[in-house]
Amino acid sequence: MILSLLSALAPTSHARAEEPVKILTSIKPLALIIEEAFGEIVSVDYLLPPQASPHHYSLKPSDLRKLNQAELFVWVGPGLENFVSGILKNRPSESTLSLLEAMELSSPNLLIHLDESERHSHGHQEVSVHSESAHAEDNNSEHAIDPHLWLSRSIAVAAAQAVGSYLTEHGNDSEAVLGAIGTFAENLTAATQDSGKVDDLHLITYHNAFAYLAVDLKLIITDVVTPQTDVNPGARHIVQLSEKTHSQQTCVIVEPQFNSGLVDKIFRQKGAHIIEVDPMAGEHSSYTEFFNTLLKQLIACRSQIS
């Protein structure tokens, strides 16, 4: 009888494991990481429209329906997507994955704390992350962690590993999952092999979202336009930014989600070298494409100022 029961159950379990796992992410970059890493193993969607900012988004009824239908919801954590924090209190913890929490357990050395000094060590290379003004609107904790995790290739792979653990725990073949993560990591490394061409490139960014990118690519962020995305900088800071643009060979990163008129006032009239980077990966269909495009923009900017 026991053998008969096991035989009856085995095909059902196998079939369930082969169906794509329905995963919903808070933002598009996380969806790109998971979809590229696992392909047909998963079915992935995301909540936040790429043109929107996670700092100021409000959930719609259609978002709630997506959330209810997902087997796993993946988000960064309350330091970034406050718009979803309250809803998740009623969701089973085993069907929700906070990447910040997962990283604190598995790879805390990769995380950047907002109260760290302006010099953040990366191996033998010192990289400025200019953390003094980072995201006052996101989290006032002295020990808050920079939530823009997906702008690091190492963390992108670690995020895939965290999702992979969920997949294997819920019936997917462990060898297939590990193989998928390995292939993702290899492809990402191969596609971004020119990363050394931007070592020590100086940047000014619109807001403090690029510290992980700075550590990954050995960039130097000399300043940010505004520490709070809904507050314009003061006149004194505008003068300081303009002076830095002239005194240093600097690339300026602007973002489509925020105030282009302000950037025009500060930089374009001064002839600064400006690149527009969408950290929400709005026009990209894979994470590797997104990161490689960003890298090419930085290389092109360096060639203009050299």
Side-chain angles (χ1 to χ4, degrees):
M1 183 179 295
I2 293 174
L3 290 174
S4 298
L5 287 171
L6 291 174
S7 298
L9 287 171
T12 303
S13 301
H14 181 71
R16 183 179 179 186
E18 291 202 350
E19 291 181 3
V21 178
K22 294 180 180 179
I23 298 178
L24 180 69
T25 70
S26 55
I27 56 176
K28 183 177 179 180
L30 302 185
L32 293 182
I33 291 169
I34 296 168
E35 189 169 42
E36 184 175 349
F38 299 111
E40 296 180 354
I41 297 176
V42 296
S43 173
V44 189
D45 200 357
Y46 53 91
L47 284 179
L48 187 76
Q51 68 272 18
S53 166
H55 308 301
H56 310 296
Y57 186 70
S58 297
L59 287 170
K60 303 188 295 292
S62 58
D63 297 328
L64 298 177
R65 286 192 291 272
K66 285 183 179 181
L67 189 58
N68 290 333
Q69 293 168 0
E71 295 176 60
L72 176 66
F73 177 68
V74 182
W75 66 318
V76 174
L80 183 76
E81 311 104 323
N82 288 324
F83 65 89
V84 80
S85 296
I87 300 298
L88 294 181
K89 293 178 181 178
N90 299 320
R91 186 177 174 86
S93 59
E94 63 270 15
S95 63
T96 300
L97 174 62
S98 165
L99 291 180
L100 270 178
E101 292 180 2
M103 292 296 299
E104 284 184 292
L105 292 174
S106 65
S107 307
N109 58 304
L110 295 178
L111 298 175
I112 295 175
H113 291 260
L114 298 182
D115 60 345
E116 288 176 345
S117 66
E118 291 186 7
R119 306 295 295 178
H120 186 90
S121 177
H122 179 71
H124 299 293
Q125 176 75 30
E126 292 289 329
V127 182
S128 172
V129 301
H130 199 79
S131 61
E132 65 185 35
S133 57
H135 280 294
E137 80 266 40
D138 291 337
N139 196 321
N140 292 322
S141 168
E142 292 182 355
H143 305 290
I145 296 172
D146 187 333
H148 302 88
L149 305 178
W150 65 93
L151 289 170
S152 160
R153 290 171 293 177
S154 297
I155 294 181
V157 174
Q161 291 171 336
V163 174
S165 296
Y166 174 90
L167 295 175
T168 56
E169 290 170 3
H170 289 77
N172 288 90
D173 181 74
S174 59
E175 290 187 10
V177 169
L178 289 174
I181 295 170
T183 300
F184 170 58
E186 290 171 4
N187 291 342
L188 180 57
T189 300
T192 56
Q193 59 184 339
D194 291 335
S195 59
K197 294 181 179 181
V198 294
D199 283 5
D200 299 325
L201 175 65
H202 286 68
L203 298 178
I204 292 175
T205 65
Y206 182 79
H207 82 300
N208 208 327
F210 295 92
Y212 288 104
L213 184 71
V215 172
D216 189 335
L217 297 180
K218 300 181 176 64
L219 310 170
I220 299 174
I221 299 177
T222 61
D223 215 328
V224 295
V225 175
T226 177
Q228 295 179 282
T229 55
D230 55 353
V231 177
N232 288 338
R236 181 179 178 182
H237 189 50
I238 289 176
V239 172
Q240 291 173 339
L241 291 170
S242 181
E243 290 174 350
K244 285 185 178 181
T245 302
H246 287 287
S247 64
Q248 300 171 349
Q249 292 186 321
T250 303
C251 291
V252 180
I253 291 183
V254 300
E255 303 167 54
Q257 291 86 1
F258 301 117
N259 190 340
S260 60
L262 177 64
V263 171
D264 285 339
K265 179 180 178 181
I266 302 174
F267 300 113
R268 293 191 195 278
Q269 296 176 5
K270 304 293 183 181
H273 298 281
I274 299 173
I275 55 177
E276 183 173 272
V277 173
D278 183 0
M280 307 309 292
E283 297 183 358
H284 298 283
S285 58
S286 76
Y287 180 80
T288 294
E289 177 201 354
F290 162 62
F291 201 98
N292 191 39
T293 299
L294 199 165
L295 176 58
K296 287 180 178 178
Q297 287 178 291
L298 293 170
I299 292 173
C301 192
R302 159 156 275 180
S303 68
Q304 291 175 1
I305 64 178
S306 297

